[in-house]
Amino acid sequence: MSDENVFDMKTSKPVNFRKYMKAGISILLLIILLITILNSMMITKEGEYKVVRQFGEVVDVEGEPGLHFKIPFIQTTTTLPNKNMSYDMEEQEINTLDKKRIIIDNYAVWRITDPTRMINTAKTVVGAQSRMGEFIFSTVRTELGQMNYEEIINDEKSSRSDLNIRITERVNELLSDYGAEVKDVRIKRTDLPEANEQSVYTRMISERESTAQEYLSRGEAEKSRIMAETDRRVQEMLSKARADAEQIRAEGEQEAAQIYNEAFSKDPEFYRLYRTLESYKTTVDDQTTIIIPHDSPYARTLLGYFGE
């Protein structure tokens, strides 16, 4: 046998297993310690709650942002939102006071006010929203069931602002045991089922046409009143103007007659001549044949005899 294939057992060094075992145990303990430290830490962010539970029971709630600690492996944490949230409900059908079926679409703004109570009753945010949706639908159905359809959709007759307040207050009463509070409940949309839509639209058009005709009738009546009042005032003004004109004319004629009298009294002969000439205007034209005595006033005037 060759010397090259001979292995000398006396010259090899034994492996130090104890050294490697200690190093492994140290690393393992370090890892366990690191995991323990990390598991005991919890970071609360802005806008959230950290709910600490031990054996299923809530033992602490941290709502302030920052680093907090818990008992590792024994206590667990649940994160809940600490801000306003929007909950959009599914469309639902309800009956109004006048037996109309309508489809309503609601949404609510809400927040968690007591995380401990919410965890103990609703368990999760989804569970709280589910209960809140039931309360909202029940309250809306009750409130709208006491109103006529036209009161709900007509802006002039609607009292939705009061309705929203009543619904919000009632839902908060029902949610008082669930650690949640509704800030506002709003009706986004009200529609009719397709089967009723056309008939209601036809009735609404008829009502609008009736209202328009009423406005037109009122306008015509007001127009007639204004025209009658204007005609009356015009007639009063014309009557007064005629009376004033007659008075002025009479005064003018009186003054003219006085002037004539004063002028003619100064020369009676001229007055007689003037009267005679004035009479010619109505008695003589280009077709007139006059037969009069030669010594009549007409003849004397025509012949130029103005003396005696």
Side-chain angles (χ1 to χ4, degrees):
M1 181 177 294
S2 173
D3 294 337
E4 294 179 355
N5 296 327
V6 176
F7 180 75
D8 189 359
M9 297 294 294
K10 296 180 180 179
T11 60
S12 62
K13 296 181 179 181
V15 178
N16 192 347
F17 290 103
R18 181 176 298 177
K19 179 180 179 181
Y20 287 112
M21 184 177 296
K22 288 182 178 180
I25 293 173
S26 298
I27 293 173
L28 180 62
L29 291 175
L30 182 62
I31 292 174
I32 293 175
L33 178 62
L34 181 61
I35 293 175
T36 302
I37 293 173
L38 292 177
N39 190 264
S40 66
M41 298 168 55
M42 58 180 183
I43 299 176
T44 304
K45 298 179 181 179
E46 187 74 29
E48 68 179 18
Y49 294 109
K50 286 293 185 181
V51 181
V52 181
R53 292 195 286 184
Q54 181 173 326
F55 306 118
E57 297 293 330
V58 176
V59 295
D60 191 18
V61 175
E62 294 292 347
E64 293 295 326
L67 178 63
H68 306 279
F69 295 92
K70 62 181 179 61
I71 301 174
F73 306 112
I74 297 177
Q75 294 180 341
T76 59
T77 61
T78 300
T79 302
L80 296 177
N82 182 15
K83 58 185 178 181
N84 288 339
M85 296 173 286
S86 176
Y87 176 58
D88 199 359
M89 298 178 57
E90 295 182 358
E91 296 179 350
Q92 300 281 353
E93 282 193 14
I94 65 170
N95 290 325
T96 62
L97 182 62
D98 50 354
K99 307 305 180 184
K100 296 289 192 309
R101 291 192 64 80
I102 62 174
I103 300 173
I104 59 170
D105 188 3
N106 299 329
Y107 77 92
V109 177
W110 71 290
R111 67 177 298 128
I112 299 171
T113 56
D114 188 340
T116 301
R117 183 172 293 183
M118 202 217 75
I119 289 291
N120 290 334
T121 54
K123 308 300 182 185
T124 63
V125 173
V126 175
Q129 287 181 335
S130 176
R131 296 298 296 160
M132 180 176 61
E134 294 175 4
F135 295 151
I136 291 174
F137 174 68
S138 174
T139 305
V140 169
R141 181 178 59 187
T142 301
E143 291 290 340
L144 295 186
Q146 300 172 6
M147 300 172 63
N148 291 322
Y149 176 73
E150 188 173 355
E151 294 177 311
I152 299 173
I153 65 170
N154 193 327
D155 290 337
E156 295 179 358
K157 300 180 179 180
S158 177
S159 57
R160 283 193 186 179
S161 58
D162 296 337
L163 174 65
N164 292 331
I165 293 174
R166 293 198 303 271
I167 293 174
T168 302
E169 291 176 349
R170 178 55 182 161
V171 172
N172 278 328
E173 291 176 3
L174 297 173
L175 279 176
S176 59
D177 293 333
Y178 289 84
E181 178 186 13
V182 173
K183 297 293 185 180
D184 193 16
V185 176
R186 294 284 171 176
I187 299 175
K188 293 195 300 185
R189 183 168 56 92
T190 57
D191 284 333
L192 290 166
E194 294 183 1
N196 301 358
E197 194 169 298
Q198 188 57 47
S199 62
V200 172
Y201 283 164
T202 302
R203 181 177 61 81
M204 291 175 63
I205 291 172
S206 176
E207 290 177 353
R208 295 300 183 270
E209 290 177 347
S210 176
T211 302
Q213 188 60 45
E214 182 179 354
Y215 288 154
L216 289 173
S217 299
R218 291 179 183 177
E220 288 294 330
E222 185 67 12
K223 172 186 172 183
S224 299
R225 186 190 66 78
I226 293 174
M227 291 182 64
E229 179 67 15
T230 303
D231 290 342
R232 183 186 64 79
R233 295 182 63 183
V234 168
Q235 291 300 322
E236 289 179 354
M237 294 171 65
L238 289 175
S239 299
K240 187 176 183 302
R242 292 191 188 98
D244 292 343
E246 291 295 332
Q247 182 179 356
I248 293 171
R249 186 181 296 110
E251 291 175 355
E253 291 178 353
Q254 181 180 358
E255 186 174 352
Q258 183 178 356
I259 294 172
Y260 282 138
N261 290 335
E262 291 177 356
F264 293 146
S265 63
K266 295 179 180 181
D267 191 347
E269 187 62 28
F270 174 76
Y271 177 68
R272 284 196 297 271
L273 174 61
Y274 175 78
R275 292 292 302 272
T276 301
L277 293 175
E278 285 295 316
S279 67
Y280 292 164
K281 293 181 180 180
T282 58
T283 58
V284 178
D285 57 21
D286 58 351
Q287 301 296 325
T288 302
T289 301
I290 301 175
I291 302 174
I292 56 177
H294 70 282
D295 57 349
S296 66
Y298 273 6
R300 292 173 61 84
T301 302
L302 290 174
L303 295 175
Y305 298 118
F306 299 105
E308 295 293 336

